[in-house]
């Protein structure tokens, strides 16, 4: 039964209680392990940045910048924004700290909270978590393949089934010009039929009209970016597909896939899963070869992706994951409590998780607590035990109890059995 309180978590945010946090820890550990196997280096960045960073890099015409950012003024009247995505901060850090001096190719990953003011629903929150990976300095399609593979490896290790990979190429600014010209011509007579957003996109970034959920059907026969690729972009896309084949990765070419951020060039991809319902995109990414130059750096190719961890959690197969403690102390009197406290501190130093009742309630209550905490072992100490220099060690799985010498090494030996 929950208590009535006037304070509740804010709409679109989520509390993660201990039972759930155990699952998050497992997932985050797997992400970190896999990222290390691929030699990505972890970076962490601030919760808020200057609003201009996102305006310039995520893009003025995107839904994120237009209507989803949590923007506020600080006391110095500077406009700040809670980060809605990670790529702009990664690029800023890369430039600000001169990371380009550290090597031609740099591989970063992050696990960070993001903030978008969207209408909350299952799988869509206002504060959510992403893990992302970015490779800066490589123009090779092999890099795009490696990124995709690193995400799929993580899904695999988490035993998440039914993930589909959609890919496309949206070309470079050079070939996009030809596409946009043709596409605008196609749209011109149809504009009155299209939604308000698409009419605005027509002026700001027409390609994004292909992404519109409402109007998709009305423009089924529109010219598509992939039909206008220049030789270099065509070759890059071929190489990307070959790389996926080489890695035994199945994919679907979705010629309408353009993604909702302004910085993409050439490769774009997304991971979808139908079990997520209407928010079926688990992750996505692509190449952003122009962004670093656009943000003031030397022209540097880059590619990356991000996955929504909250959505990942929705797909995690049910697994028995209980909160537990290795050792729980039950002491029968205050002197035994002193002795026991020393023992469990030594066991903690040896790497075991241990706990005891700080109120030293009745023996029954201490055992109840050991049960509630799923203790693997219980150490029982009373006057008798102290006199004999032993402890009673109860194996809670087997329900068996035996006498063990009070020496720490002897107890450790037993716990390792
Ligand atoms: P994005 O597609 O905007 O890409 O977000 C990546 C993932 O974050 C989505 O696929 C989704 O799983 C999750 N996500 C987005 N919005 C929400 C939300 N409101 N609630 C829960 N989960 C959400 C990016 O953010 C790019 N920075 C990816 C990238 C990295 N591209 C290149 N490098």
């Amino acid at each position: 039964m929950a208590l009535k309180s006037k304070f509740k978590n804010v709409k679109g945010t989520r509390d993660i209680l201990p039972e759930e946090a155990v699952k998050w820890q497992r997932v985050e550990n797997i992400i970190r392990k896999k990222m290390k196997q691929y030699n990505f280096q972890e970076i962490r960045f601030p919760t808020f940045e200057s609003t201009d960073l996102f305006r310039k890099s995520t893009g003025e015409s995107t839904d994120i910048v237009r209507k989803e950012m949590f923007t506020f003024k600080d006391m110095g009247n500077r406009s700040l924004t809670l980060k809605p995505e990670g790529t702009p901060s990664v690029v800023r850090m890369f430039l600000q700290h001169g990371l380009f001096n550290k090597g031609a190719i740099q591989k970063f990953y992050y696990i960070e909270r993001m903030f978008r003011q969207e209408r909350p629903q299952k799988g869509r929150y206002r504060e959510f978590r992403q893990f992302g990976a970015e490779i800066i300095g490589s123009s090779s399609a092999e890099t795009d393949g490696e990124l995709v593979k690193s995400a799929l490896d993580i899904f695999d290790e988490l035993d998440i089934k039914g993930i589909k990979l959609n890919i496309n190429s949206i070309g470079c600014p050079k070939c996009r010009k030809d596409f946009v010209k043709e596409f605008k011509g196609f749209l011109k007579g149809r504009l009155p039929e299209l939604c308000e957003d698409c009419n605005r996109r027509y002026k700001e970034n027409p390609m994004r009209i292909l992404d519109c959920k409402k109007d998709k059907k009305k423009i089924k026969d529109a010219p598509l970016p992939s039909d206008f690729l220049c030789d270099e972009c065509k070759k890059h896309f071929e190489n990307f597909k070959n790389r996926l084949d080489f890695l035994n990765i199945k994919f679907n070419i979705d010629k309408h896939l353009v993604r909702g951020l302004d910085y993409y060039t050439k490769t774009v991809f997304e991971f979808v899963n139908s079990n997520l319902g209407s928010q079926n995109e688990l992750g996505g990414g692509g190449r952003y070869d122009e962004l670093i130059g656009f943000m003031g750096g030397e022209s540097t190719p880059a590619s990356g992706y991000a996955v929504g961890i909250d959505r990942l959690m929705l797909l995690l197969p049910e697994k028995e994951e209980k909160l537990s403690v290795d050792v729980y102390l039950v002491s029968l009197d205050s002197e035994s409590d002193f002795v026991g406290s020393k023992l469990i501190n030594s066991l903690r130093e040896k790497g075991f998780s241990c706990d005891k009742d700080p109120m030293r309630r009745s023996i029954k209550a201490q055992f109840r607590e050991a049960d509630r905490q799923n203790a693997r072992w219980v150490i029982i100490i009373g006057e008798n035990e102290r006199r004999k220099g032993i402890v009673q060690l109860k194996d809670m799985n087997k329900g068996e109890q035996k006498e063990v010498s009070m020496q720490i090494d002897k107890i450790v030996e037993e716990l390792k059995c």
Side-chain angles (χ1 to χ4, degrees):
M1 190 190 71
L3 271 184
K4 270 201 177 145
S5 157
K6 69 175 184 167
F7 294 111
K8 297 242 157 53
N9 62 316
V10 173
K11 194 172 159 188
T13 65
R14 305 169 68 214
D15 296 324
I16 296 171
L17 301 181
E19 288 78 8
E20 190 65 9
V22 179
K23 296 182 189 165
W24 280 79
Q25 277 169 18
R26 182 167 69 84
V27 169
E28 285 166 4
N29 286 342
I30 287 176
I31 295 168
R32 286 182 200 288
K33 185 181 85 181
K34 279 286 159 205
M35 288 297 173
K36 196 164 167 40
Q37 285 171 359
Y38 277 82
N39 198 28
F40 285 98
Q41 311 296 331
E42 187 186 357
I43 47 173
R44 301 183 186 204
F45 36 89
T47 303
F48 50 86
E49 300 264 9
S50 78
T51 303
D52 275 351
L53 176 72
F54 302 112
R55 277 195 200 294
K56 214 169 166 194
S57 46
T58 306
E60 292 277 6
S61 77
T62 59
D63 288 350
I64 294 179
V65 169
R66 286 191 56 255
K67 43 190 183 193
E68 293 170 3
M69 295 202 302
F70 282 97
T71 295
F72 57 97
K73 290 264 172 79
D74 72 0
M75 282 158 148
N77 212 29
R78 284 170 286 256
S79 180
L80 304 174
T81 292
L82 301 184
K83 60 186 188 298
E85 59 138 343
T87 313
S89 301
V90 176
V91 169
R92 176 192 58 69
M93 286 169 83
F94 179 76
L95 295 174
Q96 180 181 338
H97 301 284
L99 300 183
F100 40 84
N101 291 320
K102 296 209 160 161
I105 296 169
Q106 312 252 348
K107 297 166 71 168
F108 304 113
Y109 85 92
Y110 49 87
I111 301 178
E112 290 276 358
R113 282 161 197 254
M114 305 293 164
F115 306 86
R116 296 185 194 175
Q117 221 159 156
E118 296 187 81
R119 197 169 45 77
Q121 63 176 93
K122 183 184 160 205
R124 188 166 70 192
Y125 313 103
R126 292 186 168 175
E127 180 192 40
F128 59 98
R129 296 122 195 111
Q130 281 186 344
F131 75 87
E134 317 279 351
I135 302 184
I136 301 184
S138 162
S139 59
S140 155
E142 180 183 330
T143 292
D144 304 353
E146 178 173 308
L147 284 161
V148 167
K149 175 90 170 99
S150 68
L152 290 175
D153 273 8
I154 290 171
F155 304 150
D156 245 18
E157 179 123 1
L158 291 170
D159 210 15
I160 294 175
K161 307 263 188 288
I163 288 175
K164 292 210 168 77
L165 167 68
N166 293 327
I167 65 166
N168 193 21
S169 175
I170 56 171
C172 62
K174 219 167 37 177
C175 46
R176 203 172 303 156
K177 249 192 218 146
D178 297 335
F179 158 71
V180 168
K181 196 165 156 223
E182 192 77 13
F183 189 44
K184 278 185 121 173
F186 167 86
L187 291 171
K188 197 137 202 186
R190 293 172 166 83
L191 282 176
E193 293 168 45
L194 303 184
C195 70
E196 207 180 301
D197 270 348
C198 283
N199 274 274
R200 184 185 42 76
R201 287 175 186 139
Y202 181 80
K203 292 186 204 123
E204 292 172 1
N205 185 357
M207 190 175 67
R208 295 256 354 267
I209 294 179
L210 291 170
D211 208 24
C212 177
K213 297 223 158 59
K214 281 187 230 153
D215 291 336
K216 232 175 193 167
K217 282 195 184 126
K218 295 182 194 154
I219 52 166
K220 261 204 309 232
D221 48 348
L224 296 167
S226 55
D227 299 330
F228 290 81
L229 298 185
C230 62
D231 286 347
E232 192 198 316
C233 289
K234 239 186 236 164
K235 194 164 159 224
H236 189 94
F237 195 45
E238 279 312 304
N239 289 343
F240 177 46
K241 288 185 287 182
N242 289 339
R243 195 71 199 172
L244 294 178
D245 285 336
F246 168 79
L247 295 167
N248 276 326
I249 296 173
K250 289 203 176 68
F251 56 86
N252 164 54
I253 300 173
D254 176 356
K255 291 187 168 199
H256 281 80
L257 178 67
V258 293
R259 298 203 22 86
L261 302 155
D262 275 0
Y263 45 68
Y264 289 118
T265 49
K266 294 183 178 162
T267 312
V268 284
F269 57 87
E270 62 175 18
F271 304 105
V272 292
N273 185 297
S274 55
N275 295 332
L276 285 171
S278 66
Q279 300 305 308
N280 70 343
E281 193 198 296
L282 178 60
R287 203 151 257 294
Y288 47 99
D289 289 345
E290 304 295 316
L291 184 60
I292 294 172
F294 185 66
M295 296 300 285
E298 246 178 60
S299 170
T300 311
S303 193
Y305 71 87
V307 169
I309 309 181
D310 303 72
R311 291 187 190 174
L312 200 64
M313 300 308 290
L314 293 172
L315 297 173
L316 215 56
E318 273 306 319
K319 201 175 164 196
E320 182 98 23
E321 277 171 291
K322 279 194 202 154
L323 293 172
S324 65
V325 65
D326 295 329
V327 176
Y328 197 87
L329 172 71
V330 170
S331 52
L332 310 196
D333 55 64
S334 56
E335 187 57 32
S336 302
D337 194 49
F338 278 128
V339 175
S341 294
K342 276 199 177 149
L343 265 183
I344 65 172
N345 276 331
S346 305
L347 285 173
R348 283 173 181 153
E349 279 168 22
K350 304 259 179 210
F352 294 94
S353 61
C354 306
D355 212 349
K356 68 184 277 287
D357 183 350
M359 308 289 287
R360 213 176 53 73
R361 288 167 293 176
S362 70
I363 300 169
K364 204 169 153 197
Q366 290 183 58
F367 265 109
R368 214 182 305 125
E369 193 56 24
D371 257 346
R372 196 187 68 80
Q373 300 216 16
N374 294 310
R376 171 72 185 82
W377 304 91
V378 171
I379 288 181
I380 307 148
I381 308 179
E383 197 189 337
N384 231 348
E385 282 72 25
R386 275 190 284 118
R387 228 179 314 111
K388 286 163 76 181
I390 53 132
V391 300
Q392 302 289 342
L393 183 66
K394 185 163 184 189
D395 180 331
M396 298 297 271
N397 283 355
K398 296 184 187 152
E400 290 165 4
Q401 186 171 314
K402 65 171 165 183
E403 290 185 359
V404 178
S405 155
M406 210 177 256
Q407 284 168 9
I408 191 75
D409 291 346
K410 295 279 183 258
I411 297 176
V412 169
E413 233 168 70
E414 288 297 328
L415 297 183
K416 282 187 174 158
C417 283

